[in-house]
Amino acid sequence: MEPDDASAATSASTHPVIDVEALAAFLDGEYAGIRDLVRTNLAAHSSVLEDAERLDTDAFRERVRDVVVEMAGTGQTGMGFPAAYGGGDDVGASVAAFETLAFGDLSVLVKVGVQFGLFGGAILHLGTGRHHDAYLPDLVAGRLLGCFAMTETGHGSNVQALGTVARYDGESQEFVITTEGDAARKDYIGNAARHAELAVVFAQLEVGGESRGVHALVVPLRSGGEVLPGVEIEDDGRKMGLNGVDNGRIRFDGVRVPREALLNRFADVTPEGAYVSSIDNPNRRFFTMLGTLVQGRVCVGGAGVNVAKVALTLAVKYAVRRRQFEASPGSEERLLLDYGLHRRRLLPLLARTYALHFAQDVVRGQLHEVFSGHEDDPRARRRLESRAAGTKALGTWHATRTVQECREACGGAGYLAVNRFAALKADSDVFTTFEGDNHVLLQLVAKGLLTDHAGEFEDLDQLGVVRYVTGLAVETVIEKASVHKLLERVRDLLPGGDAWDREAGLLDSEYHLAMLRYREEHMLAGLARRLKRGVDRKRDPGTVFSQVQDHVIALAHAHVERLVLEAFVDALRTLPDGGNKVALGLLCDLFALSTIETDRAWFMEHGRLTVQRSKAISREVNDLCGKVRPLAVDLVDAWGVPSEMLRAPDLLG
């Protein structure tokens, strides 16, 4: 590793001056107040970081429970619930609070998510007044703890195939809940092993011998701390991380609950045993029910981004105090961040974290608009579901990658538990499969692109997507993509006749956007062609879809990266001129060009990059890393990670 003295010296003398306080306010946005409340609560409970290492599993679970209940008392966990039940009537604020909570111990974060997001959210969004009156006041206050019993040992992402059954007994006007085999046991259920008194149980509803699909019911698990008859609970035991959360397995053996236990916002059973629903189509009813729970994906995606912020704050601050090797005999050893390779490792990740921050702002805003009723129509909901799925996937994958890179960038010190990386890595790794496996979520994103969010969206499984697309004229999909127009737009942005070989124009945001849009639309048209070609050859639609899944994921990834860049560019436009705007402009360029560089093989294969221009992009990325280097500490400070959460004596001194 050779230090880049000239680049560091030049950038140090010319770099913009960041107003950290103003930038922090810009990043916190309209929810600065709730974010500061969460930061204050995190600082007050900072000892939980040490407790995670010194307490045994049982004691740490109790400690996490106590912290969650105390936080509930401050109002931070109830912001998304109606004011009539002790909440804050602000869905956006509840997501902002959850995101900020990710600066601290992640067992606390997940316990909050299970209690108030999953359990509480299911009762709020799937239930009606009778359920709200019965449960929400104590739930919001933290006096009533519950769990969200959806996932089964044999069924994870495929919720429609769940094996738990709830049969209606007309004589007693009760539902009888039964676990039919080990594959149907509820598994990995947070709060189940120790603390939950109630569960929202997702089960196949049977009424009069007829299956009505998956519905949710409120089922008691414990009374006075004792497990109730007919309920069997098994502790999942120690996990890779998050051992402050009591995950468990649940079985039901003929457990009876009253008819009113059915969460009946979208369907009900009358006392006489008639099934009624305002949504006739069973698939649409199922997806409408699950769509109300999209807040969980939005929250987990935002939490992943904030985990990355903690890791980068530690690694960047370490890199400006840790010295390694002298440039010449007898000279002072150089700071890690003055080495080009070290900058290359950390600063594109920093830029991507900022980009994902602004993308999260967009999806949080869409969630708030839909759930507050300002824009609650089917198209808006489908757009939200798709964007939430994609942002969650990219945000949590980014967290996993960033934590690992930052740990390595801190050497042996990063491997010590006291310096936080052990917990960050172990506790956040599961985010990539929380609220849906990321690969499954990206297939949902691609499904929306292929069907253009058509009215048939809710009814299409993978085979339906193939049939839908092949029923269209492929030329229509290609025309929609407008790839040729995009290509001309890219060329127009660059000077000269043979513009692909010029370095000018590399820092034009319109060029960046055009490149990412071209990639997305080209992939969309190509995928449509492959699907149609397979079916035209009389091949099984399921086989056709399976063989193009790599293309499906690549398309969805390209689509979401384009949305992320658009969010960054749009946010940048709202900033007043000054040092902060210049600094974020450098980050935006760095994010865009490093994204193009990472996928340079695709762009070169499809004629969008020459060898010369590809090399020019790499040179520009290196130059941007040099320009961002003197700004790096201010940029991570603007995230506002509480100093009490940066418990890393070997890294920060």
Side-chain angles (χ1 to χ4, degrees), residues 26 354-355 358-359 362 508-514 516-517 561-575 581 584-585 587-589 591-592:
F26 178 70
Y354 264 82
F358 294 120
V362 173
D508 187 333
S509 63
E510 289 301 316
Y511 165 70
H512 304 153
L513 287 167
L516 295 198
R517 288 168 181 160
E561 281 194 326
R562 188 261 297 173
L563 293 178
V564 171
L565 179 57
E566 287 180 343
F568 202 160
V569 171
D570 289 345
L572 191 58
R573 288 171 179 152
T574 67
L575 266 176
K581 186 165 188 170
L584 291 197
L587 285 183
C588 190
D589 290 339
F591 166 68

Side-chain angles (χ1 to χ4, degrees), residues 366-386:
Q366 290 181 349
L367 178 79
H368 184 80
E369 290 296 306
V370 167
F371 277 68
S372 61
H374 297 308
E375 191 183 6
D376 189 8
D377 61 78
R379 181 170 286 271
R381 281 188 173 266
R382 289 193 292 270
R383 185 169 60 246
L384 168 63
E385 289 162 18
S386 177

Side-chain angles (χ1 to χ4, degrees), residues 251-312:
R251 293 179 177 84
F252 302 98
D253 183 11
V255 174
R256 289 179 172 267
V257 295
R259 181 183 64 86
E260 294 79 8
L262 179 67
L263 293 176
N264 63 333
R265 178 180 175 185
F266 300 111
D268 206 351
V269 176
T270 68
E272 297 75 25
Y275 178 84
V276 293
S277 175
S278 59
I279 306 174
D280 293 333
N281 185 297
N283 282 336
R284 185 166 289 119
R285 183 168 57 243
F286 172 76
F287 284 110
T288 299
M289 177 184 70
L290 288 193
T292 64
L293 306 176
V294 69
Q295 183 173 339
R297 287 175 183 165
V298 176
C299 285
V300 171
V305 175
N306 275 13
V307 166
K309 291 177 184 177
V310 176
L312 280 163

Side-chain angles (χ1 to χ4, degrees), residues 4 10 29-30 73 255 328 422 449:
D4 187 354
T10 301
E30 62 183 303
V255 174
S328 59
L449 293 171

Side-chain angles (χ1 to χ4, degrees), residues 458-488:
E458 297 94 338
D459 304 332
L460 297 181
D461 57 13
Q462 291 181 353
L463 305 188
V465 169
V466 176
R467 295 188 182 105
Y468 180 88
V469 172
T470 55
L472 300 174
V474 143
E475 291 75 13
T476 301
V477 180
I478 298 170
E479 178 61 27
K480 172 184 173 293
S482 301
V483 292
H484 299 298
K485 295 177 183 177
L486 277 167
L487 174 57
E488 291 306 315

